[in-house]
Amino acid sequence: MLTLSSLADQAGLSHVKMTEHYLHPYGGYCPNPLTFLAAVAARTRRIRLMTGCLLPAFHHPVQLAAETAMVDALSGGRLDVGFARAYLPYEFETFGVRMDESRARYEATIKAVLRLWTEQGVSERTPFFSYQDATSLPRPVQPPHPPVWGAAVRSRQSFAWLGEQGFGLLVTPTLSSLAEMRDHIEVYREAFEDNHGSTGRSPRVAASLPLYVGATEVEAARTGDALLGEYLEVWAEATDSWRSTRSADYQGYTGMATAIRGLDVRALRESGGAVVGSVERVVDRVSEVRAELTADCFLWQVDFGGVTGQVAETSLRRFIDEVLPALAG
């Protein structure tokens, strides 16, 4: 991943993104995205560094504010901070956090981090944390603070809240049809415009999707479908704990593992839930998905399905050398 990050920086790509998870091959190999991104910062010069996402439910806001500001400083002001509510029951159980307080804790922590970044002598008293006269150090390099993004999956409330706050929106349209995700994105855009339209600021949407660019259609399907199959199986295993979990804060999540196992890899790439194909096919699919979702940028998952470094690098080089020029044209 460090090699791929350096390659992306040299090619002028916009972001490197890393996500926080624990205890399972589904994301658990990078429990601290900030540690990874600090290493990326040391070997790159231009590319922005995105947490996609940090999980506020498992952290104190003073910790999050200080550690994100430190990476912002180390990178010369290149950090984008994405937050997510977390959704895996075994993570909540391990950290001793109630899932039914997830949304309230998420919102309170993000608001506290924003104050710690921009104010001095901050005091907070919430059901989840409290402190008096706190001044977080170091201060962020970017004024007034690093760009903030939030992930939303299914809940219209989540899409609307991110728009109301003026944050960027992170989506992964793997379990939703592109049309359904487009409708959710419109909820976000409307909420953003209603609350921030007069400020000159614009909503920002980043879509994250698995990407594999093959030498031919046949090779892409052979390699990409195997990777997608492994990706879906590992994801389904991580969500198996939803079989016996219910939470008012996560309507519609029970039975997620069954839904994931019901996905067909060929249907997934044909529906736009993953972009797999030859250079020509990928150019067409990226254009179609971009138009459907009205996304401002893509965060391509090139490390999905237990892919080897060599295979991922070959795919990324094809994307950089052949797909991007064709899209620009």
Side-chain angles (χ1 to χ4, degrees):
M1 290 306 300
L2 291 171
T3 298
L4 295 174
S5 298
S6 295
L7 175 60
D9 181 57
Q10 295 160 15
L13 301 189
S14 63
H15 289 80
V16 170
K17 174 182 76 79
M18 186 57 76
T19 300
E20 174 183 357
H21 280 298
Y22 300 88
L23 304 173
H24 192 277
Y26 176 76
Y29 285 102
C30 188
N32 192 328
L34 292 171
T35 301
F36 173 78
L37 294 175
V40 174
R43 61 174 64 201
T44 58
R45 293 293 176 266
R46 296 176 299 275
I47 199 161
R48 294 194 63 81
L49 316 169
M50 176 182 284
T51 63
C53 296
L54 296 175
L55 306 179
F58 308 141
H59 299 284
H60 193 284
V62 169
Q63 174 195 24
L64 285 176
E67 293 184 357
T68 51
M70 184 175 179
V71 175
D72 195 44
L74 286 169
S75 65
R78 289 190 280 144
L79 183 66
D80 282 42
V81 181
F83 294 107
R85 275 204 296 144
Y87 76 102
L88 295 170
Y90 60 82
E91 292 180 334
F92 281 90
E93 181 179 355
T94 298
F95 284 105
V97 176
R98 295 178 58 247
M99 296 196 78
D100 286 347
E101 65 186 32
S102 161
R103 185 179 298 279
R105 183 184 286 270
Y106 168 77
E107 295 180 1
T109 302
I110 294 174
K111 291 177 180 179
V113 169
L114 287 169
R115 292 192 64 201
L116 289 162
W117 277 340
T118 57
E119 301 176 28
Q120 299 187 33
V122 177
S123 297
E124 294 278 4
R125 183 172 297 278
T126 78
F128 317 113
F129 50 82
S130 62
Y131 44 87
Q132 297 291 320
D133 196 28
T135 298
S136 180
L137 298 173
R139 309 302 286 176
V141 170
Q142 300 176 83
H145 55 72
V148 176
W149 300 74
V153 180
R154 293 185 171 191
S155 168
R156 293 175 71 87
Q157 181 180 352
S158 295
F159 286 86
W161 186 80
L162 291 170
E164 291 164 4
Q165 301 305 309
F167 300 154
L169 172 66
L170 299 172
V171 297
T172 303
T174 305
L175 282 180
S176 305
S177 68
L178 293 183
E180 181 182 2
M181 183 57 70
R182 181 189 60 212
D183 291 343
H184 288 329
I185 291 172
E186 189 57 32
V187 170
Y188 159 76
R189 290 188 181 276
E190 290 177 359
F192 192 106
E193 293 295 341
D194 288 345
N195 288 271
H196 305 280
S198 61
T199 66
R201 298 170 57 200
S202 300
R204 299 159 296 159
V205 178
S208 183
L209 291 164
L211 169 73
Y212 180 74
V213 187
T216 64
E217 276 297 294
V218 172
E219 186 275 320
R222 181 176 66 249
T223 303
D225 283 5
L227 295 173
L228 283 174
E230 177 68 11
Y231 170 75
L232 293 176
E233 181 55 34
V234 170
W235 188 14
E237 289 175 359
T239 58
D240 272 336
S241 52
W242 273 110
R243 295 178 185 273
S244 57
T245 302
R246 302 286 188 279
S247 172
D249 271 14
Y250 293 88
Q251 298 293 334
Y253 279 71
T254 301
M256 179 182 287
T258 301
I260 294 170
R261 287 194 171 94
L263 292 173
D264 176 76
V265 294
R266 181 176 178 180
L268 183 65
R269 55 184 168 84
E270 290 180 353
S271 70
V275 176
V276 173
S278 64
V279 169
E280 295 78 11
R281 176 62 173 164
V282 168
V283 169
D284 290 342
R285 292 303 289 147
V286 171
S287 300
E288 293 165 3
V289 175
R290 180 170 55 186
E292 185 77 14
L293 295 181
T294 61
D296 300 291
C297 71
F298 286 102
L299 301 165
W300 297 114
Q301 300 173 27
V302 296
D303 62 335
F304 70 97
V307 66
T308 66
Q310 182 178 359
V311 171
E313 183 175 343
T314 300
S315 171
L316 182 58
R317 286 188 181 277
R318 287 196 187 104
F319 180 77
I320 291 167
D321 295 339
E322 302 180 62
V323 174
L324 284 181
L327 288 169

